Amino acid sequence: MIQTIGVLTSGGDAPGMNAAIRAVVRAGCANGLRVMGIQRGFQGLIDGEIKELTARDVSDTLQRGGTFLQSARCKAFMEEAGIVRAIEVARVFGIDAVVVIGGDGSFRGARDMSRLGMTAVGIPGTIDNDINCTEYTIGYDTALNTAMDAIDKIRDTISSHQRCSIVEVMGRGAGHIALSLSIANGAEAVIVPEKDFSIDEDVIKPIFACRNRGKKHYIIILAEGVGKAEEIKAAIHEKTGIEARISVLGYIQRGGSPTARDRMEASRMGAHAVEILLRGCDSRIVALQNGEITDIPIEEALNMKKSISESDLALTRILST
Ligand code: ATP
């Protein structure tokens, strides 16, 4: 019988993580569980940076960006010895199960903890929305809205000066943010790491086509995992004579107060993680499927890369004409 649960945030921070922690704490307390907050992800677990969180301790966190438990990347967790040590420390604090809020790397850590004897469940918290089997990850909506506003502002300036802007957005090896923004911002072209691309076909040709129709500005959205911003900028100048500027949105996209969608999904997912533990399940993550909150084995979420939407790619091309 689980009596005490730990909660931690791991990997890149995402807006809405605080709302998820709050939901875990309050749903846990409402079900008679003791909840321990673990600082700095897996590293804080190894270092014993753990203290009890009551329902009142999470007041005034729902609307805040970042994670008040802080996050970290922990090398020691890549080795079995580090995970065994973390489990020993968790036991010292009376922890029977850990809720891990993070991305796929964090879920590998959670899966390995559960293989070594500590019950662990995950909540998808990453702006990248790149976890297989869930339609949504906490932070995605806020990141999209923040980046969309920034690109709207860039657009005002480039259309006043008849320029081209190459906007690099986050997503490491995933192009979901870039593709959604290409629709939301009406980009002329989008380049994602999941698809091979040719500068001539996918950038230069669309620019010429737009120019022939009288367009005066061009927005190219580039997922950071592709790299090549400088190469694309040089090719645009050389082949079209248009001056291109590179804007890297960077951390701006990760920060800020979560949107209503992120607060709501994070709250539902946090409460569901507690339900999974009360059911006696292990090594599962919370997922959104067909609009409903459910849960799936961690292994299922990890064993395939989430594919990019072909219909959204086609839509970007159609709508930029
Ligand atoms: P995001 O993609 O949003 O940054 P993430 O959870 O994928 O989130 P990572 O840096 O990949 O971020 O992983 C976070 C932590 O999870 C790592 O620092 C490490 O402690 C742990 N981790 C990652 N991969 C593994 C693995 N294969 N085995 C055990 N633990 C892992």
Side-chain angles (χ1 to χ4, degrees):
M1 260 275 285
I2 285 173
Q3 290 176 328
T4 303
I5 61 174
V7 57
L8 61 82
T9 46
S10 169
D13 68 308
M17 279 184 162
N18 284 326
I21 299 166
R22 172 180 175 270
V24 170
V25 172
R26 293 204 171 155
C29 293
N31 284 285
L33 302 175
R34 222 173 142 222
V35 185
M36 309 296 280
I38 302 160
Q39 292 281 328
R40 296 198 308 117
F42 295 130
Q43 190 61 52
L45 185 55
I46 291 174
D47 296 339
E49 294 174 34
I50 301 169
K51 75 169 200 260
E52 185 168 354
L53 291 174
T54 67
R56 303 284 23 106
D57 291 328
V58 289
S59 304
D60 203 26
T61 56
L62 176 69
Q63 76 285 12
R64 297 189 192 280
T67 156
F68 78 89
L69 285 177
Q70 302 193 296
S71 190
R73 306 211 193 253
C74 169
K75 272 205 186 135
F77 234 70
M78 310 297 277
E79 310 282 336
E80 187 170 315
I83 302 174
V84 169
R85 170 113 185 82
I87 294 174
E88 282 167 3
V89 175
R91 300 263 185 242
V92 169
F93 284 83
I95 293 172
D96 309 305
V98 180
V99 178
V100 174
I101 306 169
D104 56 343
S106 305
F107 295 156
R108 286 178 216 286
R111 175 203 57 197
D112 293 351
M113 262 201 301
S114 101
R115 278 183 185 157
L116 291 166
M118 171 58 67
T119 300
V121 298
I123 297 177
T126 166
I127 64 167
D128 302 343
N129 202 16
D130 61 345
I131 309 285
N132 189 36
C133 299
T134 180
E135 286 152 19
Y136 197 74
T137 64
I138 297 166
Y140 185 59
D141 190 58
T142 308
L144 276 189
N145 279 288
T146 305
M148 184 184 74
D149 281 351
I151 297 170
D152 280 348
K153 291 186 173 106
I154 290 170
R155 186 193 188 111
D156 286 347
T157 293
I158 59 163
S159 46
S160 303
H161 292 271
Q162 304 93 48
R163 281 186 187 148
C164 171
S165 194
I166 302 163
V167 188
E168 191 180 281
V169 300
M170 277 190 160
R172 292 212 273 183
H176 305 284
I177 293 180
L179 183 54
S180 295
L181 288 171
S182 72
I183 296 172
N185 288 106
E188 275 59 51
V190 60
I191 301 170
V192 294
E194 291 88 346
K195 288 267 157 201
D196 291 338
F197 79 102
S198 116
I199 295 183
D200 281 352
E201 279 300 312
D202 299 308
V203 179
I204 306 299
K205 264 198 189 169
I207 288 180
F208 275 129
C210 290
R211 184 153 73 180
N212 291 341
R213 284 194 313 274
K215 267 205 176 179
K216 298 270 185 304
H217 63 263
Y218 315 91
I219 295 175
I220 316 292
I221 298 188
L222 179 67
E224 65 180 343
V226 175
K228 306 206 173 184
E230 288 293 346
E231 200 182 310
I232 296 168
K233 174 184 164 171
I236 291 172
H237 192 247
E238 185 194 320
K239 296 185 182 182
T240 70
I242 295 166
E243 189 185 341
R245 294 279 169 105
I246 300 169
S247 302
V248 180
L249 297 189
Y251 280 170
I252 285 176
Q253 296 159 96
R254 286 234 299 251
S257 179
T259 57
R261 173 150 203 213
D262 273 323
R263 294 180 200 195
M264 289 171 67
E265 301 296 6
S267 300
R268 292 187 179 122
M269 287 184 168
H272 192 89
V274 173
E275 264 176 57
I276 301 175
L277 294 174
L278 292 171
R279 274 193 343 239
C281 297
D282 185 12
S283 205
R284 299 183 73 80
I285 67 154
V286 182
L288 187 75
Q289 292 186 335
N290 302 318
E292 298 287 327
I293 301 282
T294 180
D295 48 88
I296 52 167
I298 291 185
E299 209 54 61
E300 208 176 300
L302 289 178
N303 77 20
M304 249 170 65
K305 195 169 162 51
K306 188 173 184 173
S307 54
I308 200 89
S309 163
E310 293 290 340
S311 57
D312 280 355
L313 269 175
L315 185 62
T316 294
R317 287 192 202 106
I318 292 167
L319 298 184
S320 69
T321 55

